[in-house]
């Protein structure tokens, strides 16, 4: 059984997608732990679903945040999912878990990725650039922000009426099935 650690910083709808896929037997996996770097609704979702939930406050552990996170991840975890996780992981952490960390990003990488490209900033930039298409990407995490190999990508049309808010909603809905597809692909690749 694939054991997963999920790292969150916000609403946790992608975490919920994993929880639901497991419950529906659409994904053969088990969430070992949910870790948040701040108090957020994602933590609450974990608690409601009786999943081990840990807060590793980024403000308390500025320099050793990655080390503290690492200490909360069981050694037998085969996959770490960054599901809206906003803190930057250090190179030691990334090397230690190399090939086992994936991230979901709300754009068609390599477009609209990199430093500062998170949350609404991404959707605003897509609208401002007059893009006809947007979407989401699940990729491996390397030391280059949003730069690792792509596992799965889904595309939607940007309509002329879209605002960054409506686009964000559309992309977030698309993220959920995309993340599940990516985890399944990952499972096959490492099997
Ligand atoms: C998603 O848009 C994800 O791509 C980005 O942060 C958002 C998290 O949403 N990295 P949620 O917390 O999973 O609802």
């Amino acid at each position: 059984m694939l054991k997963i650690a999920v790292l969150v910083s916000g609403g946790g709808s992608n975490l919920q997608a994993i929880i639901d896929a497991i419950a529906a037997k659409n994904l053969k996996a088990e969430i070992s732990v949910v870790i948040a770097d701040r108090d957020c609704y994602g933590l609450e979702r974990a608690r409601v679903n009786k999943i081990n939930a840990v807060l590793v406050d980024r403000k308390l552990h500025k320099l050793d945040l990655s080390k503290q996170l690492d200490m909360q991840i069981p050694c037998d975890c085969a996959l770490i999912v960054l599901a809206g996780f906003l803190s930057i992981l250090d190179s030691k952490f990334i090397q230690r878990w190399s090939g086992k960390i994936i991230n979901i990003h709300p754009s068609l990488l390599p477009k609209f990725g990199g430093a500062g490209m998170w949350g609404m900033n991404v959707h605003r930039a897509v609208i401002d650039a007059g893009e006809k298409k947007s979407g989401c990407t699940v990729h491996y995490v390397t030391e280059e922000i949003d730069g690792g190999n792509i596992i799965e990508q889904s595309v939607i049309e940007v309509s002329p009426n879209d605002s960054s808010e409506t686009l964000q909603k559309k992309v977030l809905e698309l993220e959920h099935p995309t993340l599940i597809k990516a985890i399944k692909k990952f499972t096959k690749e490492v099997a």
Side-chain angles (χ1 to χ4, degrees):
M1 180 76 75
L2 179 81
K3 294 196 177 174
I4 309 177
V6 185
L7 274 53
V8 295
S9 300
S13 67
N14 281 292
L15 162 67
Q16 190 67 52
I18 302 174
I19 294 171
D20 293 347
I22 293 173
K25 299 205 184 320
N26 179 30
L27 182 67
K28 264 197 198 160
E30 183 186 312
I31 300 176
S32 301
V33 63
V34 171
I35 311 171
D37 65 348
R38 65 200 73 196
D39 199 17
C40 62
Y41 191 60
L43 266 188
E44 184 57 22
R45 289 187 196 262
R47 290 188 192 118
V48 167
N49 286 280
K50 311 238 176 316
I51 298 167
N52 182 21
V54 184
L55 171 64
V56 178
D57 196 323
R58 71 196 195 288
K59 289 189 178 152
L60 288 178
H61 302 286
K62 282 181 188 143
L63 290 177
D64 70 336
L65 181 72
S66 294
K67 193 173 158 206
Q68 295 295 328
L69 292 169
D70 201 346
M71 283 164 57
Q72 298 297 334
I73 302 174
C75 299
D76 62 351
C77 268
L79 175 64
I80 298 171
V81 179
L82 307 187
F85 188 68
L86 291 174
S87 292
I88 302 290
L89 298 164
D90 70 16
S91 52
K92 204 171 165 195
F93 183 100
I94 292 172
Q95 279 161 25
R96 177 162 138 67
W97 293 97
S98 171
K100 294 182 179 174
I101 317 171
I102 66 172
N103 178 49
I104 181 143
H105 183 83
S107 80
L108 295 173
L109 290 176
K111 282 188 161 183
F112 306 101
M117 279 295 162
W118 56 274
M120 269 308 184
N121 297 350
V122 176
H123 304 295
R124 238 177 265 126
V126 170
I127 296 284
D128 289 350
E131 295 288 310
K132 300 270 182 293
K133 288 186 169 130
S134 190
C136 60
T137 305
V138 179
H139 63 94
Y140 283 101
V141 172
T142 61
E143 288 178 54
E144 184 192 345
I145 299 175
D146 299 326
N149 285 348
I150 292 172
I151 304 170
E152 190 68 45
Q153 209 160 44
S154 302
V155 183
I156 45 157
E157 305 283 327
V158 179
S159 94
N161 301 326
D162 269 325
S163 63
S164 43
E165 285 78 15
T166 60
L167 183 59
Q168 188 258 344
K169 276 195 190 132
K170 289 202 297 198
V171 171
L172 189 59
E173 267 176 35
L174 190 67
E175 288 181 34
H176 304 151
T178 308
L179 180 57
I180 303 308
K181 265 194 213 166
I183 295 175
K184 287 183 180 175
K185 233 182 190 178
F186 170 88
T187 313
K188 279 190 196 141
E189 275 174 21
V190 295

Coordinates of all heavy atoms in Angstrom, one line a residue, residues 8-15 45 82-86 103-106 119 123 136 168 171-172 175-176, ligand 1:
V8 N 0.3 20.7 3.6 CA -0.7 21.7 3.2 C -0.4 23.1 3.9 O 0.2 23.1 4.9 CB -2.1 21.3 3.6 CG1 -2.6 20.0 2.8 CG2 -2.3 21.0 5.1
S9 N -1.0 24.1 3.3 CA -1.0 25.5 3.9 C -2.3 26.2 3.9 O -2.4 27.3 4.4 CB 0.1 26.4 3.2 OG 1.4 25.8 3.2
G10 N -3.3 25.6 3.2 CA -4.5 26.4 3.0 C -5.8 25.5 3.1 O -5.9 24.7 4.0
G11 N -6.7 25.7 2.2 CA -8.0 25.1 2.2 C -8.0 23.6 2.2 O -8.9 22.9 2.7
G12 N -7.0 23.0 1.6 CA -6.9 21.6 1.6 C -7.8 20.8 0.7 O -8.1 19.6 0.9
S13 N -8.3 21.5 -0.4 CA -9.3 20.8 -1.3 C -8.5 19.7 -2.0 O -9.2 18.6 -2.3 CB -10.0 21.7 -2.2 OG -9.1 22.3 -3.1
N14 N -7.3 19.9 -2.3 CA -6.5 18.8 -3.0 C -6.3 17.6 -2.0 O -6.4 16.4 -2.4 CB -5.2 19.3 -3.5 CG -5.4 20.0 -4.8 OD1 -5.7 19.4 -5.9 ND2 -5.2 21.4 -4.8
L15 N -6.1 17.9 -0.8 CA -6.0 16.9 0.3 C -7.3 16.1 0.3 O -7.3 14.9 0.3 CB -5.7 17.5 1.6 CG -6.0 16.6 2.9 CD1 -5.0 15.4 2.9 CD2 -5.9 17.4 4.1
R45 N -9.5 19.4 8.0 CA -10.0 18.3 7.1 C -9.3 16.9 7.5 O -10.0 15.9 7.6 CB -9.6 18.5 5.7 CG -10.4 19.6 5.0 CD -10.1 19.6 3.5 NE -10.4 20.8 2.8 CZ -11.6 21.0 2.1 NH1 -12.4 20.0 2.0 NH2 -11.8 22.1 1.5
L82 N 2.9 17.8 -2.1 CA 2.8 19.2 -1.7 C 1.4 19.7 -2.3 O 1.3 19.9 -3.5 CB 3.9 20.0 -2.2 CG 5.3 19.5 -1.9 CD1 6.4 20.6 -2.3 CD2 5.5 19.3 -0.4
A83 N 0.4 19.8 -1.4 CA -0.9 20.1 -1.9 C -1.3 21.5 -1.4 O -2.0 21.7 -0.4 CB -1.9 19.0 -1.4
G84 N -0.7 22.5 -2.2 CA -0.9 23.9 -1.7 C 0.0 24.2 -0.6 O -0.4 25.1 0.2
F85 N 1.2 23.6 -0.6 CA 2.1 23.9 0.5 C 3.0 25.1 0.1 O 3.6 25.1 -1.0 CB 3.0 22.7 0.8 CG 3.9 22.8 2.0 CD1 3.3 22.8 3.3 CD2 5.3 22.9 1.9 CE1 4.1 23.0 4.4 CE2 6.1 23.0 3.0 CZ 5.5 23.1 4.2
L86 N 3.0 26.1 1.0 CA 3.6 27.4 0.5 C 5.1 27.6 1.0 O 5.7 28.5 0.4 CB 2.7 28.6 1.0 CG 1.4 28.7 0.3 CD1 0.5 29.8 1.0 CD2 1.5 28.9 -1.2
N103 N 4.4 18.1 -6.5 CA 3.7 19.3 -6.2 C 2.6 19.6 -7.3 O 2.8 19.2 -8.4 CB 4.7 20.5 -6.3 CG 4.1 21.8 -6.0 OD1 3.4 22.0 -5.0 ND2 4.4 22.8 -6.9
I104 N 1.5 20.2 -6.8 CA 0.5 20.6 -7.8 C 0.6 22.1 -7.9 O 0.6 22.9 -6.9 CB -0.9 20.1 -7.5 CG1 -1.9 20.6 -8.5 CG2 -1.4 20.5 -6.1 CD1 -3.0 19.6 -8.9
H105 N 0.6 22.6 -9.2 CA 0.8 24.0 -9.5 C -0.4 24.4 -10.4 O -0.7 23.7 -11.4 CB 2.1 24.2 -10.2 CG 2.4 25.7 -10.4 ND1 2.9 26.5 -9.5 CD2 2.2 26.4 -11.5 CE1 3.0 27.7 -10.0 NE2 2.6 27.7 -11.2
P106 N -1.0 25.6 -10.1 CA -2.2 26.0 -10.9 C -1.9 26.7 -12.2 O -2.5 27.7 -12.6 CB -2.9 26.9 -9.9 CG -1.8 27.5 -9.1 CD -0.7 26.5 -9.0
G119 N -0.7 30.9 -5.9 CA -2.1 31.5 -5.6 C -2.6 32.3 -6.7 O -2.4 32.1 -7.9
H123 N -3.0 33.3 -11.5 CA -4.2 33.5 -12.3 C -4.2 34.9 -12.9 O -4.6 35.1 -14.0 CB -5.4 33.1 -11.5 CG -5.4 31.7 -11.0 ND1 -5.4 30.6 -11.9 CD2 -5.2 31.2 -9.8 CE1 -5.3 29.5 -11.1 NE2 -5.2 29.9 -9.9
C136 N -3.5 23.1 -15.0 CA -2.7 22.8 -13.8 C -1.7 21.7 -14.2 O -1.8 21.0 -15.2 CB -3.6 22.3 -12.7 SG -4.5 20.9 -13.0
Q168 N -9.4 30.9 -11.2 CA -8.9 30.2 -10.0 C -9.8 29.0 -9.7 O -9.4 27.9 -9.4 CB -8.7 31.1 -8.9 CG -8.0 30.5 -7.7 CD -8.9 30.1 -6.5 OE1 -10.0 30.6 -6.5 NE2 -8.4 29.3 -5.6
V171 N -9.7 26.3 -12.4 CA -8.4 25.5 -12.3 C -8.4 24.6 -11.1 O -8.0 23.4 -11.2 CB -7.2 26.4 -12.4 CG1 -5.9 25.7 -12.1 CG2 -7.1 27.2 -13.7
L172 N -8.9 25.1 -10.0 CA -8.9 24.3 -8.7 C -9.7 23.0 -8.9 O -9.3 21.9 -8.5 CB -9.4 25.1 -7.5 CG -9.2 24.5 -6.2 CD1 -7.7 24.2 -5.9 CD2 -9.8 25.4 -5.0
E175 N -7.8 20.6 -10.8 CA -6.6 20.1 -10.1 C -6.9 18.7 -9.4 O -6.1 17.8 -9.4 CB -6.2 21.1 -9.0 CG -5.5 22.3 -9.5 CD -5.0 23.3 -8.4 OE1 -4.6 22.8 -7.4 OE2 -5.1 24.5 -8.7
H176 N -8.1 18.6 -8.9 CA -8.4 17.4 -8.1 C -8.3 16.1 -8.8 O -7.5 15.2 -8.4 CB -9.8 17.6 -7.4 CG -9.9 18.8 -6.6 ND1 -11.1 19.5 -6.4 CD2 -8.9 19.5 -5.9 CE1 -10.8 20.6 -5.6 NE2 -9.5 20.6 -5.3
Ligands
LIG1 C1 -4.0 25.0 -5.5 O1 -4.4 25.9 -6.4 C2 -2.6 24.5 -5.8 O2 -2.3 24.4 -7.1 C3 -1.7 25.6 -5.2 O3 -2.4 26.0 -4.0 C4 -3.8 25.7 -4.1 C5 -4.2 24.9 -3.0 O4 -5.5 24.6 -2.9 N1 -0.4 25.2 -5.1 P1 -6.1 23.6 -1.7 O5 -5.4 24.1 -0.4 O6 -5.7 22.2 -2.1 O7 -7.6 23.8 -1.7

